């Protein structure tokens, strides 16, 4: 008997965990997930976009437009920062898998935490100044950026036999 074929690659596995983490987000318009691994391919942090711990998801605004203080933007913690804050050990030389390319604020936190590689799935905001700033931050700090193209259409988790 030979080994099973069509098993998940490491990249598919960790990006899958990032996507699964993003499914925890209660944001009605954007769900982002992140998974941080160390050099031994051990998961040491995961996160998703949401309000800070202890904040009521029912009382805070989820709006995308309107007066700044009436939108989600000043309150939501991004998936990357949540993964960094939820990490269980030093992030020096780690890799972060993210469903969306990080914004400039998250890029600063990623660099400051010592993460050396960013693997992202979506780059739909690549033309925004904040994304251009992220790339400049990563390039300046010698953080490797890798766009992950997954050939699978989906990964199915079946809870029934």
């Amino acid at each position: 008997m030979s080994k099973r074929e069509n098993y998940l690659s490491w990249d598919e596995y960790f990006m899958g965990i990032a996507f699964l983490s993003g499914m925890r987000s209660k944001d009605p318009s954007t769900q982002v997930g992140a998974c941080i691994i160390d050099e031994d391919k051990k998961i040491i942090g995961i996160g998703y976009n949401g309000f800070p711990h202890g904040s009521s998801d029912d009382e805070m605004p989820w709006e995308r437009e309107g007066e700044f203080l009436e939108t989600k933007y000043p309150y939501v913690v991004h998936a990357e920062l949540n993964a960094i804050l939820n990490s269980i050990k030093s992030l020096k030389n780690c890799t972060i898998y993210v469903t969306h390319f990080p914004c400039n604020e998250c890029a600063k936190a990623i660099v400051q935490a010592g993460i050396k590689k960013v693997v992202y799935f979506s780059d739909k905001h690549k033309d925004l100044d904040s994304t251009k700033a992220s790339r400049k931050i990563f390039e300046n700090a010698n953080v490797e950026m890798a766009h992950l193209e997954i050939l699978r259409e989906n990964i199915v988790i079946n809870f029934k036999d």
Side-chain angles (χ1 to χ4, degrees):
M1 182 181 284
S2 60
K3 70 180 179 183
R4 182 173 70 88
E5 294 183 16
N6 201 29
Y7 56 89
L8 295 176
S9 70
W10 284 116
D11 283 336
E12 291 169 330
Y13 178 68
F14 295 126
M15 189 60 75
I17 290 172
F19 270 96
L20 190 61
S21 296
M23 292 175 74
R24 282 281 310 139
S25 175
K26 296 176 184 118
D27 189 321
S29 60
T30 306
Q31 298 81 46
V32 180
C35 176
I36 302 173
I37 63 164
D38 67 12
E39 295 172 296
D40 296 323
K41 296 191 182 325
K42 290 188 172 45
I43 296 171
I44 60 170
I46 57 173
Y48 56 88
N49 57 312
F51 295 125
H53 183 72
S55 296
S56 170
D57 296 321
D58 296 321
E59 295 178 22
M60 299 295 279
W62 287 109
E63 305 305 321
R64 294 176 66 181
E65 296 181 14
E67 295 293 321
F68 182 66
L69 293 178
E70 300 301 318
T71 68
K72 64 183 180 178
Y73 299 112
Y75 310 109
V76 167
V77 179
H78 288 186
E80 301 92 328
L81 185 56
N82 259 328
I84 289 168
L85 295 171
N86 291 332
S87 64
I88 59 173
K89 67 178 206 174
S90 168
L91 302 180
K92 185 176 181 183
N93 297 322
C94 286
T95 298
I96 187 168
Y97 285 79
V98 201
T99 58
H100 294 69
F101 193 86
C103 72
N104 62 305
E105 293 299 320
C106 288
K108 291 185 276 187
I110 288 167
V111 169
Q112 196 67 17
I115 295 171
K116 289 297 180 188
K117 184 174 181 181
V118 175
V119 181
Y120 61 94
F121 183 78
S122 172
D123 198 12
K124 68 180 184 178
H125 299 298
K126 65 183 173 202
D127 295 327
L128 296 178
D129 285 345
S130 61
T131 306
K132 291 175 184 175
S134 297
R135 288 190 189 286
K136 188 172 184 175
I137 291 166
F138 289 146
E139 288 167 0
N140 189 50
N142 295 315
V143 172
E144 182 183 347
M145 296 168 276
H147 180 234
L148 181 61
E149 292 191 32
I150 297 177
L151 300 178
R152 296 175 186 271
E153 191 170 311
N154 58 40
I155 297 172
V156 177
I157 298 173
N158 189 355
F159 289 111
K160 296 183 180 183
D161 290 346

